[in-house]
């Protein structure tokens, strides 16, 4: 069970530039002093190079250039398959290993 599921929500899907601007501004404004290095969103690359939103299963139709470097851990073979807002990169999109501990950005329908 994910953090979002515990509160009856889903990891956020960012499907437009407007949503991205809103969330980036929110994270920079309200979460900049948090001790974590990033915040997970709802994107993952578990389909061999096809990034999809967890909540909907839809492929990304909006993305941010330079967000994905697809690093692979040579000792474990793991790849960076989860999407985060990365604090050290100015809260820009970045792919990260899914098993690290980060806060989540959740959304729910109204």
């Amino acid at each position: 069970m994910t953090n979002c599921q515990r509160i009856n929500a889903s990891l956020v899907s960012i499907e437009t530039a407007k949503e991205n601007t809103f969330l980036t501004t929110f994270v920079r404004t309200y979460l900049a002093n948090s001790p974590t290095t990033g915040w997970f969103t709802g994107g993952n690359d578990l389909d061999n190079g096809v990034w999809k939103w967890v909540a909907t299963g839809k492929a990304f139709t909006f993305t941010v250039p330079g967000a994905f470097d697809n690093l692979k851990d040579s000792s474990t073979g793991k790849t960076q398959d989860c999407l985060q807002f990365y604090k050290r990169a100015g809260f820009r999109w970045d792919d990260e290993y899914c098993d690290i501990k980060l806060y989540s950005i959740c959304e729910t329908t109204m």
Side-chain angles (χ1 to χ4, degrees):
M1 178 175 279
T2 69
N3 294 332
C4 295
Q5 288 171 327
R6 286 186 188 99
I7 61 169
N8 201 26
S10 302
L11 285 166
V12 69
S13 299
I14 306 165
E15 299 177 301
T16 66
K18 185 176 179 179
E19 287 178 340
N20 186 64
T21 299
F22 171 81
L23 284 169
T24 302
T25 301
F26 177 85
V27 170
R28 285 182 178 150
T29 303
Y30 297 103
L31 304 177
N33 294 322
S34 172
T36 189
T37 59
W39 292 268
F40 275 133
T41 65
N44 71 39
D45 176 25
L46 301 178
D47 287 336
N48 300 318
V50 178
W51 282 84
K52 294 183 179 182
W53 294 113
V54 173
T56 64
K58 294 180 184 176
F60 284 17
T61 57
F62 169 80
T63 190
V64 176
F68 311 111
D69 55 20
N70 297 313
L71 293 180
K72 185 173 187 174
D73 185 316
S74 60
S75 64
T76 64
K78 293 187 304 184
T79 56
Q80 294 181 326
D81 290 331
C82 285
L83 180 65
Q84 70 166 333
F85 274 111
Y86 189 41
K87 185 176 185 176
R88 294 184 189 142
F91 301 101
R92 294 193 347 206
W93 289 21
D94 180 57
D95 51 347
E96 184 53 273
Y97 299 107
C98 297
D99 60 351
I100 67 166
K101 295 194 184 294
L102 292 178
Y103 294 110
S104 302
I105 300 176
C106 306
E107 69 180 347
T108 185
T109 55
M110 303 285 288

